Amino acid sequence: MKRFYIETWGCQMNDHDSEKFAGTLKGMGYEPTADPQDADVYLLNTCTIREKAEEKVFSRLGVLKSYKQAKNGEMIIGVAGCVAQQEGGSIFQRAPYVDLVMGTQALQSLPQMIENIADKRGRQMDTSHHKDNHLFPVQTIERRSTLKALITIMEGCDNYCTYCIVPFTRGRERSRPAADIVAEAQHLAEQGFKEIELLGQNVNSYFAETDFAGLLRRVGQVPGVEVVRYVSPHPKDFNRAVIETIRDVPSIATNIHLPAQAGNSWILKRMGREYTREHYLEKVQMIREILPQASLTSDFIVGFPGETDEMFQETLTLLELVGYDRIFSFAYSPRPGTGAIKHGDPVPHEVKQTRLHHLQALQAQIQEKRMQARLGEETWVLIDQVKPEDKFPLCGRTRDNALVHLQGDWGQPERFYGQKVAVRIVGAGMHSLRGEMI
């Protein structure tokens, strides 16, 4: 029996691509293995969003080389994802033991590439732009979970933020037909999936027969679907219709990820974000007015070229004004091929790290207060983890995506998996809550 192993780095889109790889390989007669050294096909599905991603890939490939040598060369090593798209044939030059390089838009080329390698036709590479890549046959997908399913609604990005490589690795925006997405959600619900997460580089610029608000409403009304989440939106496209749809359809999650990236309008313009600080705060105010129960999360980059101490202070005050439930924060790192590369990297590393520390320390204070404020709250949790031997055997997430550990003696906690239960919050930490079932 031939076996495969897939190692995945990066975002939910990469996770879902790996589900597509797995389904494709199973369709070819391969079976998954938990032992990477036992694989006949080893795919490394890569991400290039952070600094030195390429070096980390080649470091990992050095380990895979030893696996291949231990099998007398009888292992197909493939590099997929954003690093594959960006680096292309140079991967073969630096790691000649790699057998295939497959870009982000060539998923359906995998069977032919593996067959060509098996037929001794040499190394294989496909980094071309297949316009129908986003129309991957959904019946092929091998889902990792039996509760939560990922659905691609669109691929690509037309924003070209100056720090971001994604438009160059994922291509221009392409949206799937809404009818196909709804049909996939209906099929998944019939199979017992309770949570759907809609994926795209910029989901709220989705447009086919309807816009993103219309799509959210249709998916949220699919019988059997308990929760609908989505990643990732862009502030400039986040509108009243989407917020009102979230308010009106109970199954749609109320956690809203609104990546600010910075709090200073000049830096935002240099980043190519297409909104100002004031515009961003108007969106926040609209969300708070229409959907006061929403939780807000965000992304921030500190040390972007040209950022002064005064500009960074505006990012800190943005955190205080908005009151985020969580943030994801990073020090700026130049990415090859992006617009910001022309500005160099003038902010010293030590300054970036100091700013990052201050940002995260402030968010910790805000986050602690927001979590403590939830004590006594009554809400529901969709149970997605069962750990019978744990002190808190049940775990799940609220509508606004807060992680809740449930205490109590449940007897057979497995029976609650996939169930939506009413809880009261009785404890709060920095990153999760504790609850008791009502």
Side-chain angles (χ1 to χ4, degrees), residues 75-146:
M75 175 189 281
I76 294 175
I77 297 177
V79 180
C82 290
V83 172
Q85 186 71 44
Q86 179 178 293
E87 299 298 310
S90 66
I91 293 174
F92 293 136
Q93 296 173 13
R94 291 187 60 179
Y97 45 88
V98 170
D99 300 285
L100 70 87
V101 171
M102 180 173 58
T104 59
Q105 299 174 59
L107 275 61
Q108 297 185 59
S109 300
L110 182 59
Q112 189 62 57
M113 296 171 79
I114 290 178
E115 288 179 12
N116 289 345
I117 293 168
D119 291 340
K120 310 298 182 184
R121 297 182 187 176
R123 295 178 300 197
Q124 302 290 305
M125 183 177 75
D126 189 349
T127 55
S128 54
H129 297 275
H130 295 262
K131 64 178 182 179
D132 294 332
N133 184 71
H134 63 301
L135 304 178
F136 189 92
V138 297
Q139 66 275 12
T140 305
I141 299 169
E142 183 71 13
R143 307 282 177 179
R144 292 182 179 178
S145 169
T146 58

Side-chain angles (χ1 to χ4, degrees), residues 199-258:
L199 302 181
Q201 271 71 43
N202 181 18
V203 289
N204 50 344
S205 65
Y206 170 89
F207 192 84
E209 311 98 286
T210 184
D211 59 10
F212 184 56
L215 179 67
L216 265 183
R217 186 176 296 274
R218 291 177 63 178
V219 175
Q221 293 172 339
V222 170
V225 174
E226 298 280 0
V227 184
V228 178
R229 304 191 192 277
Y230 55 90
V231 289
S232 285
H234 191 294
K236 74 179 180 65
D237 298 316
F238 209 90
N239 58 33
R240 177 175 292 272
V242 171
I243 305 169
E244 291 175 345
T245 299
I246 297 171
R247 178 197 63 193
D248 297 341
V249 182
S251 64
I252 302 175
T254 56
N255 59 295
I256 296 176
H257 188 62
L258 205 65

Side-chain angles (χ1 to χ4, degrees), residues 58-85:
F58 287 109
S59 175
R60 183 60 182 158
L61 286 174
V63 176
L64 303 192
K65 179 182 179 181
S66 66
Y67 294 172
K68 185 170 185 172
Q69 290 172 335
K71 290 174 67 72
N72 297 316
E74 296 301 317
M75 175 189 281
I76 294 175
I77 297 177
V79 180
C82 290
V83 172
Q85 186 71 44

